[in-house]
Amino acid sequence: MIDERKLEEPLPISWDQLRIVLGVVIAVALVIMVYIFNVGQKAAAEARLQSLYRSTATTEQRHELLSRSEATPTAALLWLQLAREYFEKNEYNKSLEAFESFIGRFPKHSLLPTAEYGRAVSLLYLGRTDEAQGAFVSIGYNQQAAAYAPLALIQAARIAIEKKNFSEARRLLRETQQLYSQSVAAFEAQSLLRDLPPEPNSPTASVSPTPPSPVQSLVPTASSPN
């Protein structure tokens, strides 16, 4: 039997307070639902972009597709993939453009140093050695946490060697040893230093410098259409 006295007891909170609590709960639930919906929409958009990229037949079509795409994580990786495709086809002007598009669209991306290194290499292969050297030096000094940074300074030193600017080459190689003492580049710098002509008033015999080796891979390998 229901105790009617209990029905007359006041609620722990008033009806106005209860409506406020319920309103907050409903609002939070709606926010969560919208977030989940947006995440799903973004995931679908990313998958759709990948599918469209794979369906293209030429690099020109891929470039046009990415130019019209939003700056998403998938688009960032595809821009790097496109730049690599151009580079492997010896289309260095277009690889330079693609790397610069990545840099402009994704200035805070974790792969920015990779794009900057690719840009420098493209400049080098285009014969724009002064610009390439400046780009390599910038990476070596300003992106010290990047895997490419020690190699960038080595490449800058090699360009100085080709120009027969041996004093600049020595400076770059010694700074490579100082900044990246635990890297393989530090040992390469030591080898190149030994091969340089002797400094003024130095009895060390001169040895012909080692020519620069071509860069084999610019960006992480990713699947791409034929």
Side-chain angles (χ1 to χ4, degrees), residues 65-84:
L65 172 65
L66 293 179
S67 296
R68 293 184 282 103
S69 301
E70 297 181 3
T72 65
T74 296
L77 296 178
L78 293 178
W79 270 113
L80 285 182
Q81 177 62 36
L82 178 63
R84 176 174 177 163

Side-chain angles (χ1 to χ4, degrees), residues 10 31 64 69 83 113 124 129 159 162 165 176-177 191 194 198 209 215:
V31 169
E64 176 64 21
S69 301
L124 182 61
T129 53
I159 292 173
E162 289 184 349
N165 189 343
T176 301
Q177 291 178 307
S191 176
R194 286 197 302 266
V215 177

Side-chain angles (χ1 to χ4, degrees), residues 72-84 98-120 139 142-143 145-149 217-222:
T72 65
T74 296
L77 296 178
L78 293 178
W79 270 113
L80 285 182
Q81 177 62 36
L82 178 63
R84 176 174 177 163
F99 282 123
E100 289 180 340
S101 292
F102 179 98
I103 293 167
R105 290 167 182 261
F106 309 97
K108 296 183 179 181
H109 199 282
S110 61
L111 291 176
L112 180 65
T114 299
E116 290 180 341
Y117 188 84
R119 174 181 177 273
I139 296 168
N142 300 323
Q143 302 283 353
Y148 286 116
S217 177
L218 297 178
V219 296
T221 303

Side-chain angles (χ1 to χ4, degrees), residues 99-174:
F99 282 123
E100 289 180 340
S101 292
F102 179 98
I103 293 167
R105 290 167 182 261
F106 309 97
K108 296 183 179 181
H109 199 282
S110 61
L111 291 176
L112 180 65
T114 299
E116 290 180 341
Y117 188 84
R119 174 181 177 273
V121 174
S122 296
L123 287 168
L124 182 61
Y125 275 73
L126 284 169
R128 295 161 62 176
T129 53
D130 289 342
E131 294 177 73
Q133 186 178 32
F136 282 130
V137 169
S138 177
I139 296 168
Y141 291 158
N142 300 323
Q143 302 283 353
Q144 293 184 25
Y148 286 116
L151 179 58
L153 279 186
I154 291 292
Q155 294 288 12
R158 288 185 179 280
I159 292 173
I161 292 171
E162 289 184 349
K163 293 179 179 179
K164 299 188 183 304
N165 189 343
F166 301 124
S167 60
E168 182 179 8
R170 287 189 190 91
R171 177 180 61 80
L172 290 169
L173 292 171
R174 286 167 179 163

